[in-house]
Amino acid sequence: MSDPVANQEFLKRFNVTITGCDGSLWHVSGDKAGSEGVLLCKEFSGVYDAPVTTIRQTTARSIGAQYLDHKFEPRTLVLKFDVKGGNRDRWVEIDSAFRQAWDYSRSTRITFNDKVAGTTRYLDVMLSEAPSDDIDQNTFLIGFSTVGITCIADNPMWLEEDIAESFIFDGLHYKHEMTVENPSDQPMFLYWVVKSPLSVILPDWDVEAIRNSKGFELDSVLDYRFVVLPHAGPGMNFIVDTQPDARQIIAPGFPSFWAQMRGQYFEHDIPPYTPPTKLPVYVNPLPWLQTLFKTPLDLPMNAPVPFYLAVAEALQGTIGQIPQSELLTHDFEWLAGKIDEAITSVNLQFDEFLTPAIRSRFKVSSIASLLNDAYTVIGNLPGGGVECRQIRRWSRPWGLSRND
């Protein structure tokens, strides 16, 4: 290991650990460096910026080229480790155990903890070729060797542990605010977990456009994009992954559940360096069931999304202050009446949609039947919930925050 001064400065700032594919833990730099007999050498590459390929277009008569896009490639890391045993038998034991921490098809996790900035990021890697070594007869004499590891990270971004925020629907409050923040240099795609029974409407805001135009001072959330999710009946928990290359909605045990999305997709991410921002999540007072669009209920199927949001807010204003114990003494006919009152209160706001013919189809009896189909008994109304997971991605294992 060369340049001991540089190595000491690295050790002072960074705790680096290797979590093997076999579950073993190795402190290779920092406070407990070498406690398992392995140290990270100064010579390593591929750790810093994520590899990227830019895409440009040129024509026969153009001067130069025009940028179109860029793509992040898998990351290849080349690392060296000193394996110290002190004697032949101990070295053989450590060297063998450290090799078992790496595999070609199972992930090993490299974690960087920046003690100064207080950040911890990790990268999952697999071997891309056989480890190299400098083993000779002297190795067995002194119990020391240097091992070279070449590995590949299919996802080249360094990740932080998920940050999660959740709420449980109490049957009374139909609007909840969840705070998201992205201090990283990469877009963040939200990951939602919906616990049944619940009918939920999730935000899909173009946060960057809002920030540029209004500085987060919103006139009305009804002006921004939301996605109405299908109703999750009892036992039908599901996951929403907003990454553009993901299936986006997965309900274990219900493979065709995504088909009820009616052509909706999540389009937006949380852009880099987004400060803490409150995103509203709504419980849909008119659950999206297949029966919503069928006779005999005959409820309108083309209601604009802001209509559902406005009804939810009006309903919360009406029943949000009563005790939950009182709610549970009522039936769906009573709740349907309150929803009908909420629809009446937003008539003027949605007069183009709520024509007399459409308004007449929102009958208390039809709404009560819809609620009964969704929840069976009013006691099932509270209890569903939503969890928002924020998975922050970084192109480097340290730095790049605006505060760094």
Side-chain angles (χ1 to χ4, degrees):
M1 194 188 255
S2 59
D3 198 349
V5 174
N7 285 328
Q8 286 301 316
E9 290 303 312
F10 187 87
L11 289 168
K12 287 179 183 178
R13 174 149 187 164
F14 298 105
N15 291 323
V16 182
T17 61
I18 306 295
T19 304
C21 59
D22 61 346
S24 60
L25 180 63
W26 305 82
H27 298 83
V28 297
S29 179
D31 298 335
K32 298 181 180 179
S35 57
E36 295 82 20
V38 178
L39 286 168
L40 176 66
C41 298
K42 181 177 72 70
E43 299 85 0
F44 54 78
S45 65
V47 169
Y48 219 35
D49 280 79
V52 66
T53 299
T54 58
I55 303 170
R56 285 177 159 77
Q57 181 182 50
T58 184
T59 61
R61 306 188 70 176
S62 66
I63 298 175
Q66 179 182 11
Y67 168 82
L68 295 179
D69 207 343
H70 63 275
K71 179 178 71 172
F72 288 101
E73 305 288 352
R75 179 194 293 264
T76 298
L77 298 85
V78 180
L79 311 170
K80 288 187 177 181
F81 299 92
D82 287 338
V83 181
K84 299 182 178 182
N87 60 67
R88 177 192 62 193
D89 295 339
R90 179 61 179 152
W91 171 83
V92 169
E93 180 183 333
I94 295 172
D95 179 68
S96 176
F98 189 60
R99 175 60 184 86
Q100 293 177 66
W102 305 85
D103 193 72
Y104 301 100
S105 60
R106 295 181 297 157
S107 292
T108 293
R109 178 163 295 182
I110 304 172
T111 303
F112 269 76
N113 166 241
D114 186 337
K115 293 182 280 186
V116 175
T119 61
T120 300
R121 301 170 194 170
Y122 66 86
L123 187 73
D124 289 337
V125 300
M126 298 177 188
L127 286 177
S128 60
E129 60 183 64
S132 63
D133 58 66
D134 61 354
I135 297 174
D136 56 23
Q137 291 184 356
N138 288 330
T139 299
F140 291 89
L141 179 65
I142 63 177
F144 174 88
S145 67
T146 298
V147 176
I149 297 289
T150 301
C151 51
I152 191 165
D154 293 326
N155 178 0
M157 298 301 171
W158 292 86
L159 304 178
E160 293 181 349
E161 292 296 332
D162 299 1
I163 296 174
E165 182 179 352
S166 61
F167 75 85
I168 300 296
F169 180 48
D170 60 2
L172 300 167
H173 296 90
Y174 284 74
K175 178 183 178 182
H176 300 262
E177 288 187 332
M178 311 192 86
T179 301
V180 299
E181 178 184 9
N182 183 16
S184 79
D185 68 313
Q186 297 296 316
M188 180 176 70
F189 297 94
L190 297 179
Y191 189 89
W192 303 88
V193 180
V194 179
K195 178 187 174 185
S196 66
L198 197 66
S199 191
V200 69
I201 305 174
L202 297 180
D204 184 35
W205 291 7
D206 186 345
V207 175
E208 186 169 21
I210 297 171
R211 178 172 60 190
N212 292 339
S213 63
K214 299 195 175 186
F216 293 108
E217 294 298 325
L218 306 180
D219 294 334
S220 170
V221 298
L222 305 188
D223 296 333
Y224 301 105
R225 191 172 191 274
F226 288 81
V227 174
V228 182
L229 298 183
H231 178 72
M236 193 184 290
N237 303 327
F238 63 88
I239 296 165
V240 177
D241 185 348
T242 64
Q243 295 185 91
D245 57 348
R247 189 170 179 175
Q248 296 211 334
I249 185 164
I250 301 172
F254 302 91
S256 62
F257 186 65
W258 64 271
Q260 299 178 35
M261 289 287 288
R262 302 185 62 79
Q264 299 177 106
Y265 291 92
F266 288 86
E267 299 178 358
H268 301 113
D269 56 53
I270 307 299
Y273 306 119
T274 296
T277 305
K278 292 186 181 299
L279 298 182
V281 176
Y282 287 83
V283 175
N284 191 352
L286 297 166
W288 256 30
L289 287 171
Q290 292 302 300
T291 52
L292 175 64
F293 313 121
K294 298 178 181 179
T295 56
L297 297 186
D298 194 35
L299 290 169
M301 63 178 293
N302 60 338
V305 175
F307 168 75
Y308 293 114
L309 308 183
V311 172
E313 291 194 0
L315 179 61
Q316 177 170 304
T318 301
I319 68 173
Q321 302 303 315
I322 71 172
Q324 189 183 77
S325 56
E326 180 181 335
L327 169 70
L328 299 180
T329 64
H330 295 291
D331 56 19
F332 287 130
E333 196 78 17
W334 173 85
L335 182 58
K338 296 298 182 182
I339 294 173
D340 185 66
E341 292 175 10
I343 293 173
T344 299
S345 71
V346 301
N347 263 351
L348 291 178
Q349 192 175 355
F350 297 95
D351 56 350
E352 291 186 7
F353 164 66
L354 286 173
T355 62
I358 292 292
R359 180 64 183 92
S360 66
R361 292 166 62 183
F362 283 103
K363 301 173 183 176
V364 171
S365 59
S366 295
I367 297 172
S369 295
L370 179 68
L371 296 173
N372 184 74
D373 288 346
Y375 297 101
T376 308
V377 295
I378 202 164
N380 289 337
L381 191 64
V386 175
E387 180 180 76
C388 177
R389 296 181 186 173
Q390 303 174 51
I391 305 174
R392 295 168 181 168
R393 309 181 304 166
W394 303 79
S395 60
R396 295 180 176 181
W398 62 79
L400 295 179
S401 172
R402 283 186 169 174
N403 297 323
D404 288 345

